[in-house]
Structures are given as structure tokens and as C-alpha cells.
Amino acid sequence: MLWLLAHNNERLLGHGAVAREVWRLYFHWYGVLAQGAFPAHDTLWQYPPGAGAVLLAPGLLPGLSYFQAFVALTLATDALITAALVRAGTRPGRTLLGAALWTGALPLLLHLPLARYDVAVTAFAVLSLLALGRATRACGALAALGALVKVWPALVLLGVGRGRTTRSAWTWAAATGAAVLSVFVLSFRNPLAFLRQQGGRGVQVESLGGTALSLARHASWRGTTRYRYGAMELVGPHVHAVATASLALTAAAFALLLLWRVRARRWTEATPYDAALSAVLLFTVTSRVISPQYLIWLLGLTAVCLTSRHTTQRPVAALIVTATALSSVAYPTFYAEVVHGTWTGCLLMLARNGLLAGAAVLSLTRLWRAARRPRTAARTAPGPAPRPGRPLTAAAPGSLRGDRG
């Protein structure tokens, strides 16, 4: 990945577009943030205030340029995630498959992870989930810190077990989020300016709705692509309707997740992991924007799922890894084809987004089935009553379980 980053000016690697985000855009924001303000009038700034801390961090490393320091911190964060997954995988009843997936699948995105701050965001979500079994307070606090950087890590708390665990995790998340947000409000100007820019976003060409509109170009739809809000968006007839439909689907996904939580009757150690992956998958595929760095989030959450032998998401993991590989083909290699809506670009996006949509449906289905209450012995036909004074014999393993594995 470092070698690719050093050669990112090659045509197949996007002529330097991947790394340009750091040394041009992030460094520009760093200069604004260093003056004690958020980029209030910059339409490209669409991130919660916690992102400012991540972008200021490279300035703390002496002797390095901003770009070098950013990459160094990203590599350190990657190492932290790997170490956490290895530690979780070596516990009794766990597996190292999660660490193997993170290590082997992240380079499928080429050098993109080293030039985006999404590895840092993913670290908060991964560490939050892995802390759940031992420290629910830390779980909630880390999820809140991640949400202040890029919102979606708040979803990892969806599958936390009911009762005291939920109360502890959610209380600490709320308290940590409020405290840190107060610090940003008191220390910086315009900390909530991102809300205005985020609300104005349209349909990105790489999203599920964007794929539908790109295919419609070949059926006489009169629309074009335009660079807006930091992404290539589609403009033309019916775009607003597609954007509205995406928001409606997101709301419906949230309602389904809430219904799952209300009706779930069976929790395992892997349920919070599986629920987090399912939630982020659903919010990703229904979003108006599906940037390639979103796959970093999904790989991190998939890796956490695979640390447990009880996860239901192994088939989902295969779909996500395949979609990751296709994402790097679409961007940066054939991104011009995607932007111009050629058949090559359309088919690439159709395959990638089809895999993600299939993964989301499969993930929720398996999560839902696993959370149903298992049959119990009380629901089976009663056997003959034991004779007085005669002890009950031990049941064969699994005979009263009522499930079929």
C-alpha cells in the first residue's frame, strides 16, 4: 500500500487524485482549524466537529510534513486495529479469522485507506465493540467519540444486550458525547457548520440511486454529472425524487433495525457485532453517497464479527470482500467510465452495489433469524412421568435444545 502511495501519479492509480485529498484538502482544513474555527462556508466540509481533532493530529508530529504525518498516524491506527483483533481472536472460544480478514482485505482498496481518515473512524467502532464484553463504559465512550468524528459509529450500540449493559453503554455514550461536544463548542467557532453542507448533498454517481440514474442514461434520461459537495453528483430530471427515495429507505432501514431490537429474544456474544455490521450495511446501501472509503468501515466491522465463532455473518463477509475488490477497480482505475456513465462504468457499479445490497439483505435476514427465541422443552410433547423415588436420567446433549444447529 505504501508502494502504491509512492507511485500514485500513475494513470491506473488516478493520476494522484487519491493522495491529493490529504496534501491539498485536509491540509487546507488543517490551516483553518489551527486558527480556532471550522470551515463554515466550505461546502466540502460535511463532518462532525470530532473530525477536526483527527485532522489537527498530524501537526503534532515534529519533523514530518503534514502528508507524511497523516500517513504515519494512519499506519499506527491500522496497527492498533490489527493488535486489538489479534488479542480478541486469541481468547478462548474466539478465532483469528477477523485479524486475517482485516490484514488481507484492506489492501484490496489499494492505497486509498492511507489517504483517508476513515481508518481512524473505524478504529473507534472496532475498539468500542471489542471492549463491550469487559468494559461497557469504554464501549459507550468510544462509540460516542467515533460518532463525533463521522456519525456512523453510533450504530455499533444498536445490538448491545438489554438491561444493565444497554443502560451503561448508552449513558456513557451520551455523557461522553455531550462533554466532548461542549469542548468543541467552547474552543472553536462554527462547530456545527457541517449540518448545512450535509443537508444540501445530492445523489452521488457511485450510490445505488446513482447507478439507477446512470443506467437510465442509456434509456434516454437527460442528466449529467457535476462536481458538487466534494463528489461527482448527478443532476437532471428526477434526481430529487431519487434522493428523497434514498432518505425514505434509510428511515425504513432504521425502523427495521428498531423492530429487530424490540423483537429479538436471543443474544450471543456475537449479536452486538452482527447487529453493528447489519446496521452500517443498511445505512450504506440506502445512502445518497457510497464513497469507496466506506468499505473500510465495513471491513472493520466484518473483522470484528469474524473474531467470534458464533457470528452469523460469514457469508456476508465474502460478499463484502468481493465488493471491496470491485470498488478499487471502479475507483481510481475506471473512475472516468463511472463518471461518464459508460456501459463499463455502469456494469462495475451495478456489480459492486448489487453485492452490497445483497450483503445488507442477507445480513439482516441472518441477524433476524438468529435472534428468534429457540424452542424449549416446554413446547415439545411431554414424556412419561418418572416413577416416585426414581431419579431423572441425564438428557442427551442437545436433546432439549429444540433447534437444528
Side-chain angles (χ1 to χ4, degrees):
M1 292 167 73
L2 281 170
W3 185 89
L4 291 171
L5 190 62
H7 294 80
N8 84 111
N9 286 319
E10 299 292 331
R11 182 181 65 83
L12 291 177
L13 297 179
H15 291 294
V18 173
R20 194 179 302 135
E21 186 110 347
V22 178
W23 59 260
R24 179 180 292 179
L25 185 59
Y26 289 3
F27 184 61
H28 165 69
W29 286 338
Y30 168 81
V32 177
L33 291 163
Q35 301 299 318
F38 284 89
H41 304 292
D42 187 346
T43 58
L44 301 183
W45 179 259
Q46 302 152 17
Y47 311 108
V54 176
L55 297 178
L56 283 170
L60 302 176
L61 297 186
L64 297 175
S65 68
Y66 184 86
F67 182 84
Q68 292 169 337
F70 182 91
V71 174
L73 287 175
T74 303
L75 287 170
T77 307
D78 177 19
L80 176 63
I81 294 173
T82 305
L85 291 168
V86 169
R87 183 179 180 185
T90 54
R91 292 175 186 166
R94 296 296 191 99
T95 170
L96 287 169
L97 189 58
L101 180 136
W102 174 258
T103 306
L106 193 64
L108 292 176
L109 289 170
L110 307 180
H111 54 307
L112 180 76
L114 300 183
R116 298 292 186 273
Y117 78 90
D118 294 85
V119 172
V121 184
T122 303
F124 284 111
V126 169
L127 296 177
S128 173
L129 286 170
L130 294 180
L132 178 59
R134 297 189 175 186
T136 54
R137 296 176 178 180
C139 169
L142 288 166
L145 292 175
L148 283 172
V149 177
K150 214 166 188 179
V151 181
W152 69 264
L155 294 172
V156 304
L157 297 179
L158 179 73
V160 173
R162 295 195 185 103
R164 182 181 300 176
T165 303
T166 290
R167 289 193 297 271
S168 176
W170 290 12
T171 299
W172 274 83
T176 302
V180 176
L181 183 59
S182 299
V183 171
F184 282 113
V185 170
L186 295 174
S187 304
F188 291 85
R189 299 186 301 275
N190 308 311
L192 302 180
F194 75 98
L195 294 173
R196 182 168 56 253
Q197 276 72 255
Q198 188 63 245
R201 300 192 79 167
V203 178
Q204 188 200 29
V205 69
E206 296 169 79
S207 67
L208 208 63
T211 301
L213 289 172
S214 295
L215 286 169
R217 285 182 175 184
H218 299 277
S220 73
W221 177 69
R222 297 179 181 179
T224 59
T225 54
R226 185 182 302 170
Y227 185 75
R228 300 171 66 242
Y229 295 95
M232 298 303 299
E233 294 186 351
L234 289 153
V235 293
H238 313 301
V239 171
H240 180 72
V242 172
T244 302
S246 295
L247 293 173
L249 286 172
T250 299
F254 187 66
L256 276 174
L257 291 167
L258 288 180
L259 182 62
W260 164 81
R261 181 170 176 86
V262 169
R263 299 189 63 178
R265 294 293 178 266
R266 182 172 178 265
W267 252 263
T268 69
E269 66 172 16
T271 301
Y273 307 163
D274 296 351
L277 176 60
S278 185
V280 176
L281 260 173
L282 285 169
F283 275 75
T284 298
V285 299
T286 59
S287 173
R288 293 169 294 171
V289 180
I290 306 181
S291 298
Q293 57 264 31
Y294 290 14
L295 275 298
I296 300 173
W297 318 343
L298 299 177
L299 289 177
L301 295 177
T302 303
V304 174
C305 291
L306 294 185
T307 62
S308 173
R309 298 182 186 276
H310 300 286
T311 184
T312 63
Q313 303 295 302
R314 290 188 179 184
V316 178
L319 295 178
I320 290 175
V321 170
T322 306
T324 301
L326 281 175
S327 287
S328 61
V329 176
Y331 180 86
T333 308
F334 288 101
Y335 194 57
E337 305 284 338
V338 174
V339 170
H340 292 103
T342 67
W343 276 114
T344 300
C346 287
L347 292 176
L348 272 174
M349 284 294 93
L350 186 63
R352 197 281 301 267
N353 291 339
L355 285 168
L356 289 179
V361 173
L362 180 62
S363 177
L364 182 62
T365 301
R366 295 179 69 86
L367 177 71
W368 198 287
R369 289 176 178 172
R372 291 184 301 185
R373 186 190 297 275
R375 299 176 187 173
T376 61
R379 298 182 186 180
T380 61
R387 296 178 182 178
R390 183 179 178 182
L392 288 170
T393 57
S399 61
L400 299 181
R401 197 183 311 159
D403 60 18
R404 300 184 180 179

